[in-house]
């Protein structure tokens, strides 16, 4: 039997972690423009009812509350909503709910649009949560899930420290239930869930060391995992130092994981005219 410390299953990052707010801000800066543009096209408009799972730092919740206006409703959930709660005081149309999407029912809908970003890939029960999101929609409503596919992830030029760190961390995350290929599997899973008109697009960024958003986005993640990796013998202190050197080097370029944005719609029942024509 292996003597390595076995990780617990589940999400390994916490809003209570030191520096987590800055990591979330980096993610928002990198990905919010694409996310909000897609949500607008899927129906986040004045008067819409919107569900945001794992709403994290709250930038998308703030944007959605402003988009739906006083006639709409936004429900933003998180297992730790500390960054969301101040927003609820500003926007009456925004409800902040402490919710564990795996073990609890989602807040009552129905919703016109449901969204989750960088959440489901961490959850071994990801397909169950996706099904809950689909079931919470009105007929014709849309779900947008955005998650990483790790196939593109790596340094721009050969870098032994970076490549070893990525292999170590990806292996650790898979051991705790993370799916590094979830992004590419999402379209198939959405169709299998019963969603229709499924489509997808991917976004890959090139980032530099010692700059925002790479430094907080990736350093914070690695630093959160390093004690466990070193304790378990999966990474040495020397390799950790080499890893930090690349984060501090402005000449170190890397390519991110592909953020796959995948969307589909809950089927609408046949109209009376369609049913009449079929008879």
């Amino acid at each position: 039997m292996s003597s390595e410390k076995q990780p617990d299953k589940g999400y390994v990052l916490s809003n209570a972690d030191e520096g987590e707010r800055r990591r979330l801000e980096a993610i928002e800066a990198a990905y919010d423009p694409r996310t909000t543009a897609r949500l607008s096209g899927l129906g986040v408009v004045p008067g819409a009812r919107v569900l945001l799972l794992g709403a994290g730092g709250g930038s998308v919740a703030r944007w959605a509350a402003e988009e739906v206006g006083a006639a709409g409703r936004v429900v933003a959930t998180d297992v730790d909503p500390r960054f969301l709660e101040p927003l609820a005081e500003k926007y009456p149309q925004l409800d902040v709910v402490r919710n564990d999407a795996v073990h609890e029912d989602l807040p009552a809908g129905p919703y016109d649009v449901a969204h989750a970003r960088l959440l489901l890939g961490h959850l071994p029960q990801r397909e169950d949560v996706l099904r809950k999101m689909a079931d919470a929609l009105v007929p014709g409503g849309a779900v947008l899930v955005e998650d990483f596919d790790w196939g593109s992830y790596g340094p721009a030029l050969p870098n032994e420290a970076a490549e070893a760190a990525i292999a170590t961390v990806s292996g650790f995350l898979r051991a705790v239930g993370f799916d590094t290929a979830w992004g590419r599997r999402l379209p198939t899973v959405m169709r299998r869930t019963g969603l229709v008109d499924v489509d997808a697009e991917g976004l890959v960024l090139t980032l530099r060391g010692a700059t925002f958003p790479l430094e907080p986005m990736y350093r914070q993640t690695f630093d959160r995992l390093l004690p466990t990796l070193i304790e378990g013998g999966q990474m040495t202190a020397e390799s950790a130092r080499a890893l930090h050197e690349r984060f501090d080097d402005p000449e170190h370029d890397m390519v991110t994981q592909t953020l796959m944005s995948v969307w589909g719609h809950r089927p609408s029942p046949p109209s009376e005219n369609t049913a009449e024509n079929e008879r």
Side-chain angles (χ1 to χ4, degrees):
M1 181 178 295
S2 172
S3 62
E4 291 184 354
K5 181 180 179 181
Q6 296 301 310
D8 295 329
K9 300 287 183 180
Y11 200 89
V12 297
L13 300 172
S14 168
N15 287 349
D17 291 342
E18 182 180 356
E20 179 64 6
R21 187 67 187 92
R22 181 162 167 77
R23 188 185 77 89
L24 293 173
E25 288 172 352
I27 291 172
E28 293 165 355
Y31 297 120
D32 274 9
R34 182 65 60 91
T35 294
T36 55
R38 180 55 57 190
L39 286 172
S40 290
L42 290 172
V44 178
V45 295
R49 297 159 294 178
V50 181
L51 174 65
L52 305 174
L53 293 191
S59 62
V60 175
R62 182 188 305 108
W63 169 85
E66 293 175 352
E67 290 295 304
V68 305
R73 179 188 180 218
V74 176
V75 178
T77 78
D78 206 288
V79 293
D80 181 353
R82 68 181 64 197
F83 302 131
L84 299 169
E85 289 167 344
L87 296 175
E89 301 175 4
K90 181 177 180 181
Y91 298 100
Q93 66 270 38
L94 173 62
D95 295 328
V96 173
V97 180
R98 185 182 300 272
N99 179 259
D100 180 339
V102 172
H103 299 107
E104 299 174 352
D105 294 335
L106 300 183
Y111 302 96
D112 301 297
V113 181
H115 173 250
R117 184 174 69 191
L118 299 179
L119 172 66
L120 270 61
H122 289 269
L123 308 177
Q125 307 88 345
R126 57 188 66 87
E127 294 192 27
D128 294 336
V129 175
L130 176 60
R131 193 167 293 107
K132 289 181 182 182
M133 295 175 70
D135 290 344
L137 296 172
V138 298
V143 60
L144 172 65
V145 175
E146 300 180 291
D147 263 297
F148 282 145
D149 181 277
W150 283 48
S152 59
Y153 187 27
L157 299 176
N159 183 293
E160 183 177 349
E163 292 162 359
I166 289 169
T168 298
V169 171
S170 61
F172 173 85
L173 291 174
R174 284 192 293 268
V176 299
F178 184 83
D179 184 353
T180 55
W182 174 238
R184 76 182 67 178
R185 296 198 306 109
L186 257 171
T188 301
V189 175
M190 279 198 178
R191 291 193 297 270
R192 191 166 63 206
T193 301
L195 295 167
V196 298
D197 300 324
V198 174
D199 208 344
E201 62 182 3
L203 175 64
V204 179
L205 303 176
T206 300
L207 303 177
R208 297 182 65 191
T211 64
F212 186 89
L214 182 145
E215 196 275 335
M217 189 188 302
Y218 288 94
R219 183 192 290 268
Q220 174 70 12
T221 301
F222 279 115
D223 284 356
R224 170 65 180 83
L225 301 179
L226 276 176
T228 301
L229 296 174
I230 292 174
E231 181 182 350
Q234 296 148 299
M235 182 174 283
T236 65
E238 181 180 357
S239 62
R241 284 192 296 272
L243 174 63
H244 283 115
E245 287 177 2
R246 81 180 180 96
F247 284 131
D248 295 333
D249 181 4
E251 296 306 315
H252 178 83
D253 294 315
M254 64 171 287
V255 175
T256 65
Q257 304 98 325
T258 303
L259 183 72
M260 292 297 297
S261 299
V262 187
W263 60 92
H265 293 80
R266 182 172 182 174
S268 297
S271 67
E272 292 184 7
N273 289 339
T274 301
E276 181 68 28
N277 292 335
E278 290 178 348
R279 283 199 290 270

